[in-house]
Amino acid sequence: MSVARRLSRIVIVAIAFFVPHAAQGQWLDANVASPGLEGNLLGDDPAPLVRVHLPPGYETEPDQRYPVVYLLHGYLGDATNMGYVANQVDALVEAGTIEPLIIATPTAFNKYQGSFYTNSAVTGLWDDFITKDLVDYVDSNFRTLPQRESRGIAGYSMGGYGAIKLALLHPEVYGAAYAVSACCVSLEEQFMVQDRQHLLAAASATVFNGAHWLVKAQIAAAAAFSPNPEAEPFFADFPLAEDGSLRPDVWERWLQHDPLTLLATHASGLIDMRLGLDVGESDNIATGSHTFSEA
């Protein structure tokens, strides 16, 4: 567990101790259909599970409208993994530290155990699902404040990557972005340095099940960043050949999804956005967050 995650849990326990009887919000579950996920080559359900947390007082104050935070889980996770934040948020609202808000946490788990919140010809249009279909669903079914200034996106690990990338690509949708222990905010540092050996193993792998989870993550990333419906067995091209040499054409496709690269053309969208990166000093993926922050 990263230092950031450990500290986060300490904070949650501390809040629960000092505000022991916070009013409880409620969770609602729904399967949200997304046209862009239909017909994906992995056979995944095109209506992923979404969990929506409504703040205390939502039912008793029918005239009040609320900001929304879209909370993205990490690789291997799904919407059900994010429930631990509810008590923390309810306690903060009860203490008057934050205003009441709605939390929407979608599932982005697929047959490769993570979509990287990216539009792909193989895994489906996950960016569209989060930014269009889910936002429309939440704004249509709940009393939201439906403007970017009242809409934020946050996540950890793969979800931190999704939060930063989607904020870069859609500043008209999100007014704030927050990433905790984000992976992949520099694809070069993540995949060509830290995960290089796992990426090489993925390039020569023949089966998904039974592989180390970090090898699976490389396969999932390739299916998201360089999908190829003709490439067996994973419908993906890899930026490293089996001998370790770079495949420049494939790597260029990956860089189109690199937050560090996207800054060159999308930085203007961050000018009036509230943006934060949170990473433990001993976290093994801290370098990418520091590099992105400096850029």
Side-chain angles (χ1 to χ4, degrees):
M1 182 188 298
S2 71
V3 171
R5 289 295 303 283
R6 288 197 295 270
L7 289 175
S8 177
R9 293 193 176 185
I10 291 170
V11 170
I12 292 170
V13 171
I15 291 173
F17 181 79
F18 287 109
V19 189
H21 301 296
Q24 298 295 301
Q26 60 175 316
W27 283 106
L28 299 177
D29 289 356
N31 289 89
V32 178
S34 177
L37 296 180
E38 294 178 0
N40 67 82
L41 298 189
L42 303 186
D44 287 311
D45 188 344
L49 173 68
V50 173
R51 305 200 75 202
V52 177
H53 183 260
L54 302 178
Y58 185 88
E59 297 295 339
T60 59
E61 300 179 31
D63 295 329
Q64 184 167 351
R65 306 186 76 86
Y66 301 89
V68 183
V69 170
Y70 291 86
L71 188 59
L72 309 183
H73 63 76
Y75 185 72
L76 303 177
D78 60 28
T80 64
N81 298 135
M82 306 303 290
Y84 67 87
V85 303
N87 290 339
Q88 180 185 19
V89 169
D90 289 344
L92 291 169
V93 170
E94 181 79 6
T97 305
I98 63 173
E99 296 294 324
L101 75 160
I102 294 171
I103 301 170
T105 179
T107 291
F109 184 91
N110 60 14
K111 290 290 176 59
Y112 290 157
Q113 301 180 348
S115 70
F116 284 86
Y117 302 97
T118 293
N119 285 348
S120 163
V122 167
T123 64
L125 307 185
W126 287 93
D127 177 335
D128 288 0
F129 166 60
I130 302 296
T131 301
K132 296 178 182 178
D133 305 322
L134 180 56
V135 169
D136 287 346
Y137 170 81
V138 172
D139 284 344
S140 297
N141 288 276
F142 303 98
R143 298 194 311 275
T144 68
L145 294 167
Q147 61 268 356
R148 68 174 296 274
E149 293 80 9
S150 299
R151 190 183 295 123
I153 188 166
Y156 76 89
S157 193
M158 182 185 78
Y161 164 77
I164 297 299
K165 177 186 176 183
L166 296 182
L168 277 166
L169 294 178
H170 305 286
E172 77 286 357
V173 177
Y174 307 105
Y178 192 81
V180 178
S181 295
C183 82
C184 320
V185 288
S186 167
L187 293 193
E188 181 173 6
E189 291 182 5
Q190 182 73 54
F191 293 100
M192 292 299 169
V193 179
Q194 181 175 326
D195 288 342
R196 185 180 184 88
Q197 293 306 312
H198 295 113
L199 184 58
L200 277 171
S204 60
T206 58
V207 294
F208 184 82
N209 293 330
H212 188 281
W213 75 269
L214 282 171
V215 175
K216 291 180 178 180
Q218 315 306 304
I219 296 170
F225 303 151
S226 51
N228 181 352
E230 305 301 322
E232 297 287 353
F234 304 121
F235 306 122
D237 296 322
F238 292 88
L240 292 179
E242 292 185 30
D243 64 1
S245 61
L246 183 70
R247 300 175 64 189
D249 56 330
V250 179
W251 182 236
E252 184 60 34
R253 294 173 66 191
W254 279 51
L255 291 179
Q256 295 174 18
H257 304 282
D258 177 26
L260 197 59
T261 301
L262 288 172
L263 275 176
T265 52
H266 292 74
S268 61
L270 301 183
I271 290 173
D272 62 348
M273 181 178 294
R274 298 184 179 188
L275 177 66
L277 294 96
D278 185 346
V279 62
E281 291 180 353
S282 299
D283 198 318
N284 62 358
I285 57 175
T287 304
S289 290
H290 285 296
T291 300
F292 183 88
S293 179
E294 291 166 2

